[in-house]
Amino acid sequence: MTDVLNAIVLLGNFVLVPGLAYGSQLALGALGVTLIYGILRFSNLAHGETMSFGAMITILVTWLLQANGISFHPLPTALLALPFGIIGAVALCLIVDRLVYRYYRQQRSTSSIYLIVSIGVMLITGGLIRFIIGPGDRKITDGERFIIKARDFKEMTGLNEGLAIKTTQGVTVITAVSVVAFVFWFLGRTRTGKAMRAYSDNEDLALLSGINPERVVMIAWIMTGALATIAGTLYGLDKSFKPFTYMQLLLPIFAAAIVGGVGNPIGAIVGGFVVAFSELIITFAYRKVFMYLLPDEMAPEGMIQLLSTDYKFAVSFVILVIVLLVKPTGIFSGKLL
Amino acid sequence: MTYLAGEMMTGGYGGADILHECSIGVDRGEIAVVVGPNGAGKSTAMKAVFGMLGLRTGRVTLDGEDITSLKPQERVLQGMGFVPQNQNVFTTMTVEENLEMGAFIRRDDISLTMKQVYALFPVLHEKRRQPAGELSGGQRQQVAVGRALMTQPQVLMLDEPTAGVSPIVMDELFDRIIEVAKTGIAVLMVEQNARQALEIADRGFVLVQGRNAYTDSGVALLANPEVRKAFLGG
């Protein structure tokens, strides 16, 4: 019996808890991608860099706060700096929209043109970020490291395996849940949110109803900037902040948006968790789990790992290919908000 | 003086002209119907009146005022409502949300207008929590008309409101449209079902190749042997 419990705790510690945190980060990222797809009808490849930019501003403000002795103990100081990061990323989004995307809207460009344009925006933003903060790896977590330490858990339960929950993981999940709840309330209940859904559903009819498209686009960018900053900062807190990782995050984020059905907010959330758990389940080494569950003589010799963690991005790729082959519209038949 | 009038309109979608000195119009409380063979420019004439098409010559007046240069959204503010032929509802939104979006430009209380729309189309009240995309063709058309009525327009323009619905539903829709006209709203519509539409029309416009071929009261057009022969199948 204890063996089974040990096996469950082991999976909880290395798959469930990190999966919930990573899934929340991907879900928030995918929500931003899906929002832009729903309103502006293009895949925004610059989204990773928007996340990075927002996180960078948050970090700069965090340093400023720390230098002045302000902290948010026991929570990470970065949470205090988050609003500034959001303002910075929203400003970036609105400026880029004014300078770049608006021109292509007036030209009524096709979505593939937008896609290429967004690659340009991605490269320039990425360069700007590395110019400001440098390409290096930065740890920004402070405050209490753990909500539950592995050792405390072992002492509490008397099990061999410990279950650790990092503060950043707890913060990530709670923040993600509240942000997602807010987004759904906004889209489902408010006049402006409904106008956005209407615009996403049927642009011409929205115009006939007197909905101002420029305002809808502006609000979409504001929400995207905010979501990107929150996702980027939570990821940076949980792992570490390194500009290049955000470009790599694009793949799982797009996989998440497409798995759920691009343009569909619920799909983005579900997709985020599908991708996160797939990555963890496939790259986890099950040796110890089997050692607990199987009799000693049957104990496995290898690591029982389906794929090395170096290949975790391949998982997103495979998911992407399978979805596009089997159900290109995604689980929730996306395309609309 | 006709309340809403498109006079001597000439224009098209950028290439060759589709409308040639075409005139259509409607007065308050009246139903005016535009009929004609396929490709006669019926829908184009409607779009021209609503400002969705650039006119080379001619003008559009509403209550005596020249509105030729106004954008469609501005015409909505002036009291014009338009129901497009296709994609005329927000399919992913509920019936009630569709009506709310119809009233988007209004800042006052819309609950009374919504009640009136539900009174006109009782089935919509039943289905108000359902996504409009799940409704039948006839019910969707009701949502579309209801959405346009939410701005409390003086003019309601309908582009083939009975396209793709059964004859029974068509009769019902026409009855509703008559009710709308009786409240003093000017109704201008394009119809494929020429005979039935002319029966309820105060004015009829027969267009051929973008030109006015016949213009008369609905009854007179139905009685006109040339019109019967050429457009109503004898």
Side-chain angles (χ1 to χ4, degrees):
Chain A
M1 187 59 207
T2 4
D3 280 347
V4 175
L5 281 180
N6 272 323
I8 291 172
V9 170
L10 188 67
L11 283 176
N13 193 31
F14 288 104
V15 175
L16 184 66
V17 173
L20 282 177
Y22 183 41
S24 307
Q25 291 149 9
L26 289 186
L28 287 178
L31 203 51
V33 167
T34 238
L35 208 56
I36 290 300
Y37 189 88
I39 300 294
L40 288 104
R41 308 224 182 280
F42 74 96
S43 306
N44 181 17
L45 291 187
H47 194 73
E49 298 303 337
T50 312
M51 287 167 63
S52 177
F53 188 87
M56 174 190 76
I57 303 279
T58 309
I59 289 169
L60 294 177
V61 175
T62 307
W63 286 343
L64 195 71
L65 292 173
Q66 284 170 339
N68 287 301
I70 302 167
S71 87
F72 198 32
H73 199 80
L75 297 173
T77 314
L79 288 184
L80 275 185
L82 193 56
F84 298 96
I86 290 176
I87 292 170
V90 167
L92 175 81
C93 285
L94 291 179
I95 290 169
V96 168
D97 183 67
R98 173 55 69 91
L99 294 180
V100 183
Y101 293 121
R102 195 170 67 155
Y103 170 79
Y104 293 95
R105 263 203 305 288
Q106 284 162 354
Q107 302 289 308
R108 297 193 154 266
S109 301
T110 58
S111 56
S112 50
I113 301 265
Y114 273 105
L115 185 85
I116 296 164
V117 169
S118 80
I119 295 176
V121 172
M122 170 181 88
L123 294 174
I124 288 179
T125 317
L128 186 70
I129 291 163
R130 293 192 296 276
F131 183 73
I132 296 175
I133 202 168
D137 207 343
R138 318 218 174 238
K139 289 266 177 211
I140 48 168
T141 322
D142 56 2
E144 206 62 56
R145 284 250 302 142
F146 289 98
I147 298 174
I148 301 174
K149 285 185 187 155
R151 194 170 358 116
D152 294 346
F153 184 87
K154 283 184 206 167
E155 279 169 16
M156 255 160 42
T157 56
L159 292 171
N160 280 340
E161 291 299 327
L163 181 75
I165 300 178
K166 286 195 284 182
T167 314
T168 52
Q169 289 168 333
V171 166
T172 296
V173 173
I174 290 168
T175 314
V177 168
S178 11
V179 167
V180 167
F182 173 79
V183 168
F184 280 95
W185 169 81
F186 177 79
L187 289 176
R189 292 274 174 271
T190 66
R191 201 174 114 89
T192 313
K194 285 179 190 173
M196 291 182 73
R197 279 165 54 216
Y199 183 85
S200 165
D201 183 320
N202 188 334
E203 197 180 324
D204 293 329
L205 198 60
L207 292 179
L208 281 183
S209 304
I211 292 166
N212 180 354
E214 285 301 312
R215 206 176 111 86
V216 168
V217 167
M218 187 182 85
I219 291 166
W221 280 119
I222 291 175
M223 289 174 74
T224 305
L227 285 168
T229 306
I230 295 168
T233 305
L234 291 176
Y235 186 83
L237 276 174
D238 198 16
K239 313 276 164 50
S240 67
F241 175 83
K242 191 179 180 190
F244 280 115
T245 53
Y246 287 89
M247 209 150 106
Q248 292 168 353
L249 264 184
L250 264 187
L251 183 61
I253 283 176
F254 267 87
I258 292 168
V259 168
V262 72
N264 183 323
I266 297 174
I269 315 274
V270 173
F273 287 103
V274 168
V275 171
F277 279 108
S278 309
E279 259 185 33
L280 286 164
I281 287 170
I282 290 176
T283 57
F284 180 63
Y286 290 92
R287 181 164 185 244
K288 276 180 95 179
V289 177
F290 284 110
M291 280 168 67
Y292 281 119
L293 294 179
L294 296 173
D296 284 345
E297 56 270 27
M298 284 173 72
E301 284 171 16
M303 294 298 287
I304 320 282
Q305 190 178 17
L306 293 172
L307 215 56
S308 148
T309 41
D310 297 337
Y311 289 111
K312 64 176 179 183
F313 287 114
V315 178
S316 305
F317 256 126
V318 171
I319 293 176
L320 208 51
V321 170
I322 292 174
V323 169
L324 291 178
L325 276 178
V326 178
K327 196 165 189 296
T329 53
I331 301 171
F332 290 92
S333 306
K335 214 159 193 177
L336 297 167
L337 265 183
Chain B
M1 185 78 218
T2 317
Y3 185 67
L4 171 72
E7 295 163 359
M8 302 298 275
M9 300 182 294
T10 302
Y13 300 99
D17 288 339
I18 294 172
L19 298 176
H20 305 278
E21 300 183 337
C22 171
S23 296
I24 54 177
V26 65
D27 247 325
R28 282 181 145 156
E30 272 188 359
I31 297 176
V33 175
V34 183
V35 296
N38 282 334
K42 305 185 293 286
S43 290
T44 311
M46 291 286 270
K47 283 183 182 158
V49 171
F50 204 70
M52 297 158 92
L53 180 77
L55 285 181
R56 282 206 301 118
T57 60
R59 61 184 200 138
V60 182
T61 60
L62 181 71
D63 203 8
E65 263 178 65
D66 193 324
I67 57 165
T68 317
S69 58
L70 292 189
K71 285 188 214 155
Q73 287 104 302
E74 291 164 330
R75 296 185 200 214
V76 173
L77 287 171
Q78 297 292 317
M80 293 173 69
F82 186 68
V83 180
Q85 185 181 349
N86 300 311
Q87 299 177 349
N88 48 20
V89 296
F90 299 111
T91 48
T92 55
M93 304 177 81
T94 64
V95 170
E96 191 152 288
E97 285 173 336
N98 265 278
L99 297 184
E100 275 175 49
M101 286 300 108
F104 190 79
I105 52 166
R106 286 176 57 183
R107 286 288 178 180
D108 53 332
D109 188 14
I110 61 166
S111 56
L112 184 69
T113 320
M114 203 177 276
K115 263 186 206 150
Q116 289 167 344
V117 170
Y118 285 146
L120 190 64
F121 302 116
V123 67
L124 297 190
H125 185 254
E126 248 170 68
K127 312 226 164 188
R128 63 188 187 280
R129 305 245 176 269
Q130 261 189 46
E134 291 176 6
L135 302 184
S136 71
Q139 290 165 347
R140 263 193 215 212
Q141 291 296 351
Q142 297 182 12
V143 175
V145 174
R147 187 201 62 82
L149 287 175
M150 286 303 290
T151 48
Q152 294 181 310
Q154 299 304 311
V155 180
L156 183 63
M157 296 173 61
L158 308 160
D159 194 351
E160 298 202 15
T162 64
V165 305
S166 71
I168 300 171
V169 175
M170 182 183 78
D171 284 345
E172 224 182 271
L173 267 173
F174 279 155
D175 286 346
R176 294 292 104 79
I177 290 166
I178 293 169
E179 274 182 56
V180 169
K182 274 186 188 152
T183 62
I185 294 177
V187 177
L188 177 63
M189 63 177 178
V190 167
E191 259 301 330
Q192 282 283 351
N193 301 304
R195 186 188 295 274
Q196 291 89 335
L198 286 175
E199 276 168 14
I200 64 163
D202 298 291
R203 294 173 194 229
F205 300 90
V206 182
L207 300 192
V208 179
Q209 294 188 342
R211 290 188 169 81
N212 290 84
Y214 303 91
T215 304
D216 212 326
S217 72
V219 183
L221 284 175
L222 281 172
N224 185 327
E226 283 176 56
V227 174
R228 291 176 68 100
K229 200 170 156 216
F231 306 108
L232 304 175

